[in-house]
Amino acid sequence: MGNMTKKFIIIFVLFFMMASSLFCYKNNRTNTSQTLELSDRVEASEIKEEPIVKELAFYIGSHKWYIDRQEQNDMEEYKKIKPIIRDNTILFPIGVVLRKFSEDVSWDPVGKTISATLNGESFNLSINEKKVSVGDEFFNLKDDIKVYGNQYYLSAEDTARILNLRFQVKNGVIAFVHQDNHLDEAINYYTDKYNEELSNIKDRTSIKSLKIPVLMYHLCLTEAPPDELKGMAVTVKEFDAQLAALKKAGYEGISFEQYYNYRLYGASLPEKPVIITFDDGYENNYTNAFPILKKHNMKATIFIVTSAVGQQGVQYPHMTWEQMKEMEDSGLVIIHNHGSYHAAMDQISRSNMRKVALGGYTSIEHHMGTRQIYVFAYPYLRYNAVTIEELKQAGIHMQVTNLGDWLREGTSMSDIKRIRISHGTSEQELLNSIK
């Protein structure tokens, strides 16, 4: 056998060994799945990973979450996913959602990109480009990305698409349902369960003529106020007796959020709701009124002047952010906006109207977290058509304007009136004023 023939055989054998080794290597790399023949291959985009979660439901009224029909009891964890409403759109904090329902979440501050592993596939969201990739699938977000309280928010519809779920709102329930599950059956399950939990709720068709009294307080004092403050103060004894009378008469405290969700999304309400409000944010709201709210399990809204927070050395000091945080954590109190300073809104320019209203919320959300909606109470009860329109354009959902009648089904949410409760108002006089 010649040298050339020997060399050829050696080269052939080496080539065969290398090819065999490569085949074995590739076979070992793919030992978790069978090798497909060419005729059986499919595009990667056609292989849909089953989502970890097939159903999510959020109860607007009670802030409860259900996952695959199981109630989630860790309220501290799930309240971070609580939706907000801006420009009539339901929004979710996408970073918090991803941290809950995906793995390996990371943030690139330079490229402004959120990355994660979602349902076993790589996920990327480009904030600047409004583009999403999940595995080999790419799509553009339908709605704008919003920023509130240093968090990025996506619309519920875009959030659902990222999670490979469908989205629907019905009778106070926000539901995300996988395409393999029957959407109507799922949403009906959650709405029925929601109404079962609220056993004291009448059917919505029976409360179309509902009247909701909105009570206005300021100071809650241990002793009788001086004559010049009797119109804006009650004593601890009076406030305790008034709440006891309201409870005995069947009234339940609700928030402005609950009424807003009732009007827009069909959330249920108690048979006899009442909204209790305090203006200015005085420290006695924390030291004196808050224990009574807890005693009677009544909700209240406090409208604060943000420039006065923590103010001491005055006749009536103001609450601190820490005190307000404790109150909100109880689930009974919600902090809303009385302005960045105590301004007569009808006496300032349009640009300053926005600064007072939006500046107040910038401070509140920085210290207290993002609000679901924005509610503004006018200082001095000073407002007009211009202020109402300007604040509506600025994104204020509800405006509390003056004294007057009850909050009714058809009341403009930009012109809500309140009933003043003063020193000397007896329990019966209070009940008579809201019948």
Side-chain angles (χ1 to χ4, degrees), residues 285-315:
N285 296 174
Y286 171 77
T287 56
N288 298 339
F290 182 41
I292 298 171
L293 291 170
K294 289 191 289 185
K295 174 182 176 181
H296 298 286
N297 194 34
M298 292 286 271
K299 293 181 179 180
T301 298
I302 301 180
F303 294 104
I304 68 166
V305 179
T306 57
S307 61
V309 171
Q311 190 178 71
Q312 300 293 312
V314 291
Q315 183 178 11

Side-chain angles (χ1 to χ4, degrees), residues 241-275:
Q242 289 163 2
L243 293 199
L246 288 171
K247 292 291 283 190
K248 185 177 180 180
Y251 285 95
E252 293 188 42
I254 67 168
S255 65
F256 286 101
E257 284 82 353
Q258 286 176 270
Y259 179 71
Y260 184 91
N261 294 331
Y262 164 78
R263 286 279 296 267
L264 266 70
Y265 304 113
S268 297
L269 286 178
E271 182 180 350
K272 296 178 73 173
V274 60
I275 299 178

Side-chain angles (χ1 to χ4, degrees), residues 19 82 90 140 150 170 224 429:
K82 185 171 64 175
I90 299 174
N140 293 322
N150 297 320
K170 181 180 178 181
E429 287 172 334

Side-chain angles (χ1 to χ4, degrees), residues 171-188:
N171 293 348
V173 176
I174 301 173
F176 299 93
V177 180
H178 187 248
Q179 60 186 0
D180 290 346
N181 292 26
H182 195 281
L183 182 60
D184 289 338
E185 187 274 332
I187 193 79
N188 287 337

Side-chain angles (χ1 to χ4, degrees), residues 99-368:
R99 283 193 292 275
K100 180 61 187 173
F101 299 112
S102 65
E103 299 175 336
D104 306 322
V105 181
S106 62
W107 165 246
D108 175 10
V110 178
K112 287 195 173 181
T113 302
I114 302 174
S115 301
T117 301
L118 182 63
N119 297 330
E121 296 186 292
S122 62
F123 167 88
N124 288 281
L125 166 61
S126 172
I127 300 297
N128 291 334
E129 297 180 5
K130 289 176 52 181
K131 287 185 177 180
V132 172
S133 68
V134 182
D136 292 330
E137 181 183 358
F138 294 83
F139 59 88
N140 293 322
L141 296 176
K142 178 177 178 289
D143 300 303
D144 289 336
I145 301 172
K146 304 289 188 180
V147 182
Y148 300 101
N150 297 320
Q151 291 197 73
Y152 290 105
Y153 282 80
L154 301 189
S155 69
E157 189 172 342
D158 283 330
T159 302
R161 187 174 182 188
I162 285 173
L163 296 175
N164 195 24
L165 303 171
R166 293 170 295 167
F167 158 71
Q168 185 175 339
V169 180
K170 181 180 178 181
N171 293 348
V173 176
I174 301 173
F176 299 93
V177 180
H178 187 248
Q179 60 186 0
D180 290 346
N181 292 26
H182 195 281
L183 182 60
D184 289 338
E185 187 274 332
I187 193 79
N188 287 337
Y189 169 85
Y190 290 113
T191 55
D192 289 346
K193 191 169 185 63
Y194 180 37
N195 286 318
E196 284 175 16
E197 290 180 0
L198 302 174
S199 58
N200 60 332
I201 306 303
K202 285 188 175 181
D203 186 83
R204 283 193 81 240
T205 57
S206 69
I207 55 175
K208 283 293 184 181
S209 60
L210 187 71
K211 300 189 302 184
I212 303 178
V214 185
L215 309 182
M216 182 177 75
Y217 292 89
H218 286 77
L219 298 162
C220 184
L221 307 176
T222 54
E223 298 179 353
D227 289 344
E228 66 271 17
L229 292 178
K230 285 183 177 179
M232 58 179 292
V234 295
T235 64
V236 169
K237 184 178 180 180
E238 287 174 325
F239 188 56
D240 188 13
Q242 289 163 2
L243 293 199
L246 288 171
K247 292 291 283 190
K248 185 177 180 180
Y251 285 95
E252 293 188 42
I254 67 168
S255 65
F256 286 101
E257 284 82 353
Q258 286 176 270
Y259 179 71
Y260 184 91
N261 294 331
Y262 164 78
R263 286 279 296 267
L264 266 70
Y265 304 113
S268 297
L269 286 178
E271 182 180 350
K272 296 178 73 173
V274 60
I275 299 178
I276 297 169
T277 70
F278 283 84
D279 282 7
D280 299 332
Y282 295 108
E283 190 174 46
N284 54 64
N285 296 174
Y286 171 77
T287 56
N288 298 339
F290 182 41
I292 298 171
L293 291 170
K294 289 191 289 185
K295 174 182 176 181
H296 298 286
N297 194 34
M298 292 286 271
K299 293 181 179 180
T301 298
I302 301 180
F303 294 104
I304 68 166
V305 179
T306 57
S307 61
V309 171
Q311 190 178 71
Q312 300 293 312
V314 291
Q315 183 178 11
Y316 299 111
H318 286 71
M319 294 184 292
T320 65
W321 293 115
E322 290 75 18
Q323 290 169 330
M324 288 184 276
K325 182 71 166 58
E326 180 186 337
M327 296 171 82
E328 280 209 346
D329 286 345
S330 73
L332 294 176
V333 175
I334 296 181
I335 302 300
H336 276 295
N337 191 9
H338 204 34
S340 57
Y341 65 96
H342 207 267
M345 296 290 282
D346 61 343
Q347 300 295 308
I348 59 179
S349 67
R350 285 177 176 264
S351 62
N352 281 335
M353 291 176 196
R354 290 194 175 219
K355 288 178 182 178
V356 169
L358 298 183
Y361 268 116
T362 298
S363 185
I364 290 171
E365 293 193 318
H366 174 73
H367 292 277
M368 303 292 295

Side-chain angles (χ1 to χ4, degrees), residues 54-118:
K54 284 199 169 186
E55 290 181 6
L56 294 171
F58 177 75
Y59 290 4
I60 297 175
S62 62
H63 291 175
K64 282 187 178 181
W65 275 97
Y66 280 77
I67 295 181
D68 293 336
R69 309 201 177 186
Q70 297 296 314
E71 181 181 343
Q72 305 303 300
N73 296 316
D74 190 348
M75 295 299 290
E76 280 300 314
E77 178 181 2
Y78 279 90
K79 75 179 183 180
K80 298 175 184 176
I81 316 177
K82 185 171 64 175
I84 64 173
I85 300 163
R86 300 291 183 270
D87 301 325
N88 296 322
T89 301
I90 299 174
L91 304 172
F92 282 87
I94 187 59
V96 180
V97 170
L98 288 171
R99 283 193 292 275
K100 180 61 187 173
F101 299 112
S102 65
E103 299 175 336
D104 306 322
V105 181
S106 62
W107 165 246
D108 175 10
V110 178
K112 287 195 173 181
T113 302
I114 302 174
S115 301
T117 301
L118 182 63

